[in-house]
Amino acid sequence: MRRTSLEGKMADASDGLDDGLPLLTHGKPPQRRAGLIMGILVAINLLNYIDRWTISGVLPLLQDEKKNGFHHNLSDSQGGLLMTVFIGSYMIFSPVFGYFGDRINRKALIAVGIFFWSMFTVGGSFAQNYGQLLGARALVGIGEASYATIAPAIIADLYPVKQRTSMLALFYLAIPVGAALGFIVGGQVASAFGSWRWALRVSPPLGIVATIVYVLFTHDPPRGGTESDHQEHTQTSTSGGFRGMMQDIGAILKIRSFMWTTAGFTAVTFATGALAQWAPTLIHRQADIAGTPYSVSAASLVFGGITCFTGVIGTLGGSLLSNYFTPRTHSADALICGFGLLAAVPFVSMALALASYNIIGTWALIFVGELLLCLCWTPVGAITLYVVTPSRRASASAILILISHAFGDAFSPYLVGAVSDTMTKKYDMYDGNALMFSLMITAGVTFLGGIAFLKGSNSLPADRQAAAAPPPKTDYSLINDYQGNED
């Protein structure tokens, strides 16, 4: 039955609407609007990582009973557990948000998540004991899971493949810059106000503003809207309910390059999580032996500056290397990550060993090691998006987050702290040396991560091609012929 002229016009108009905002054909957003949404997403990601690493910038103050307000010292294990519970809730709830992010309005999910983590961040600043602070950090992780899972998929729906790597590089720049600002804000604000509590009160007001701006000035672009075969991909979105979620997970886990990439990135999060949590504390402890004492705020400031600078250069460098080598080999992204991790191993190891002898040399080695680790951010993000079909991208990001954090930075800060405590108590070792030896675990894990990336490079081209191919169409002529013969 043919539609009337009015019905056709109404249908055409509805095809161009999303959340009340007009879009181009097939949901491709205007470049100007895409840039606005991208800018807001980057700003939110910056706040996300400022909040995440502020605790690490004030950790020595939190461990001191004279300064934490808890009336008892916190051990290295307890200090590491603050990050572990955050990452634990973050990774557990990522698949939940990934599932809904592939099915319902992503704008609402992100807005609720930002508001949630802002509220519990400032709530943690009023904690009267260690248990309350631990609970608040766990709840913050739930809110952040919504954003980290969904945002990369939205970026993929804003920009076509040729622009996507550059946009992801811009998005992931917020990680090192935000982490660095977290260290700096944490150390400097706590020093200025004389309490670690004020450090946790900086990002929440900005988070509330970000929520309002995001709700008012963005829309949720159609899934797969920038793909050349948009119509085919959107028609094959997975079914709802538990069955649909399991179908998504099963299909994603069969992608070999994705799984090897996830294993390699797990090593990255393990190493960077442990180093970010404990490196300023290590420098603070070892500096006395080296004869160049560093205050907590000074160590956090320098480490934050290095993290920011290396993160920017490494993230942009990874993007440039990817753009240069991908036309020459379709395995480029995995090879960049693999060789970057293997090259980082000696620099990280020497940096830790040198801390009690030469602080300047330690900073220089940490600089090179972090630079090489940061080469992975953009290529990993790109791999996660282009080896998975658009209808499963948020779920793939969720699985990456779940696995990489479950076996990475969810427990590496606690593991390093626990090993350090054991060495201090059992072998009567100086706490600085005990922390140094326990951090050496990160070098070994980094080496294994490099091998995993290189292994994944073998299947990357085929997996990428499979994800880009449109699903087969039903040949209705066979059905029509069969029905005609019956008649």
Side-chain angles (χ1 to χ4, degrees), residues 166-399:
S166 299
M167 292 301 105
L168 286 172
L170 178 62
F171 178 74
Y172 288 124
L173 276 178
I175 295 177
V177 175
L181 289 175
F183 287 112
I184 295 170
V185 168
Q188 297 302 308
V189 171
S191 177
F193 286 89
S195 172
W196 61 269
R197 299 179 186 275
W198 285 100
L200 296 182
R201 297 168 184 170
V202 175
S203 62
L206 299 176
I208 299 301
V209 173
T211 303
I212 297 172
V213 172
Y214 186 77
V215 169
L216 294 179
F217 297 103
T218 71
H219 67 275
D220 187 9
R223 295 164 178 82
T226 56
E227 308 297 327
S228 58
D229 58 336
H230 164 73
Q231 190 66 28
E232 285 83 356
H233 274 307
T234 54
Q235 286 180 347
T236 57
S237 61
T238 53
S239 58
F242 180 76
R243 181 182 178 184
M245 181 174 68
M246 296 310 296
Q247 288 176 345
D248 285 354
I249 294 174
I252 293 168
L253 294 182
K254 292 178 181 178
I255 304 173
R256 294 178 61 192
S257 60
F258 174 81
M259 294 309 298
W260 283 114
T261 296
T262 300
F265 191 62
T266 299
V268 175
T269 63
F270 183 100
T272 55
L275 289 170
Q277 183 79 348
W278 290 114
T281 302
L282 175 69
I283 296 298
H284 175 64
R285 293 178 182 178
Q286 298 292 69
D288 288 334
I289 299 178
T292 54
Y294 263 77
S295 66
V296 174
S297 60
S300 297
L301 180 63
V302 176
F303 186 77
I306 289 175
T307 300
C308 180
F309 199 64
T310 57
V312 170
I313 297 176
T315 303
L316 292 177
S319 175
L320 292 173
L321 289 172
S322 175
N323 289 332
Y324 179 80
F325 285 108
T326 296
R328 293 161 175 78
T329 170
H330 293 301
S331 300
D333 286 332
L335 294 174
I336 292 168
C337 296
F339 288 122
L341 261 64
L342 294 178
V345 172
F347 291 98
V348 172
S349 301
M350 290 187 291
L352 297 173
L354 194 63
S356 60
Y357 300 98
N358 189 317
I359 297 298
I360 301 300
T362 297
W363 288 132
L365 292 168
I366 288 177
F367 181 94
V368 178
E370 285 212 343
L371 177 62
L372 293 168
L373 288 171
C374 287
L375 290 176
C376 293
W377 287 108
T378 304
V380 167
I383 291 172
T384 304
L385 295 175
Y386 65 58
V387 299
V388 180
T389 57
S391 62
R392 292 185 171 119
R393 281 174 177 162
S395 295
S397 295
I399 292 172

Side-chain angles (χ1 to χ4, degrees), residues 57-65 67-68 186-187 190-191 195-196 296:
V58 297
L59 189 56
L61 300 178
L62 274 170
Q63 291 185 277
D64 189 346
E65 65 176 340
K67 301 176 181 178
N68 61 19
S191 177
S195 172
W196 61 269
V296 174

Side-chain angles (χ1 to χ4, degrees), residues 42-106:
V42 171
I44 295 172
N45 205 30
L46 186 70
L47 286 175
N48 186 342
Y49 280 86
I50 290 174
D51 171 80
R52 184 178 301 188
W53 294 110
T54 298
I55 284 288
S56 298
V58 297
L59 189 56
L61 300 178
L62 274 170
Q63 291 185 277
D64 189 346
E65 65 176 340
K66 297 178 181 178
K67 301 176 181 178
N68 61 19
F70 300 155
H71 309 297
H72 64 87
N73 290 325
L74 300 184
S75 67
D76 285 350
S77 300
Q78 290 175 310
L81 193 59
L82 288 171
M83 179 58 71
T84 295
V85 296
F86 167 85
I87 297 297
S89 61
Y90 175 75
M91 70 179 187
I92 290 170
F93 281 87
S94 290
V96 177
F97 287 110
Y99 171 78
F100 286 110
D102 282 334
R103 288 164 175 80
I104 66 175
N105 188 288
R106 295 173 291 190

Side-chain angles (χ1 to χ4, degrees), residues 440-471:
M440 284 291 182
I441 299 171
T442 61
V445 174
T446 299
F447 177 80
L448 295 176
I451 299 300
F453 276 120
L454 296 181
K455 182 68 175 177
S457 67
N458 296 329
S459 55
L460 186 58
D463 291 339
R464 182 172 188 172
Q465 186 176 7

Side-chain angles (χ1 to χ4, degrees), residues 397-478:
S397 295
I399 292 172
L400 176 71
I401 289 173
L402 174 62
I403 296 176
S404 64
H405 290 302
F407 300 100
D409 54 357
F411 80 99
S412 66
Y414 176 76
L415 176 64
V416 168
V419 172
S420 175
D421 284 342
T422 300
M423 288 184 173
T424 302
K425 296 173 182 177
K426 188 172 182 178
Y427 300 104
D428 196 25
M429 188 180 293
Y430 169 64
D431 60 358
N433 289 334
L435 186 57
M436 180 267 292
F437 282 118
S438 63
L439 278 169
M440 284 291 182
I441 299 171
T442 61
V445 174
T446 299
F447 177 80
L448 295 176
I451 299 300
F453 276 120
L454 296 181
K455 182 68 175 177
S457 67
N458 296 329
S459 55
L460 186 58
D463 291 339
R464 182 172 188 172
Q465 186 176 7
K473 298 180 179 179
T474 302
D475 188 354
Y476 290 102
S477 64
L478 297 176

